[in-house]
Amino acid sequence: GSARSIRDSHEGKRLLFPPGALDLPHLIKRSLVLRTGLQPTKRPLGSQADEYYVYENVGPTAASRVAELLDQDLQDSTDGECA
């Protein structure tokens, strides 16, 4: 994996946070939008300065698969919320 990771929240929010600097392949972006029915929003995560794309309504299986396809770590982000 790389130093960047995809963050995931399982606290009933079902959010997926790929870093803004991580350009997701078009087919993954499209499949996330089709799966969730929502466009992502770009916003900072918690007190960190890094911006993340926020995909809502992403289940844990889909989040794990996206991280696996991108060779990224999937981290639980229960320590902070989107600002």
Side-chain angles (χ1 to χ4, degrees):
S2 87
R4 290 175 275 187
S5 60
I6 295 174
R7 295 177 182 263
D8 180 32
S9 176
H10 294 291
E11 292 187 336
K13 297 181 185 88
R14 296 169 54 107
L15 303 175
L16 184 68
F17 308 96
L22 177 64
D23 190 22
L24 294 178
H26 176 74
L27 288 177
I28 291 178
K29 289 187 229 180
R30 184 171 181 212
S31 66
L32 285 170
V33 170
L34 288 172
R35 183 174 189 89
T36 65
L38 301 168
Q39 291 288 332
T41 57
K42 190 173 182 179
R43 49 191 170 178
L45 179 63
S47 61
Q48 298 178 8
D50 295 335
E51 286 194 329
Y52 285 76
Y53 286 104
V54 179
Y55 290 87
E56 298 184 44
N57 297 328
V58 178
T61 303
S64 293
R65 184 67 178 135
V66 168
E68 179 184 330
L69 286 169
L70 299 173
D71 193 27
Q72 298 286 311
D73 296 323
L74 185 64
Q75 297 181 350
D76 187 8
S77 186
T78 57
D79 57 340
E81 294 186 22
C82 286

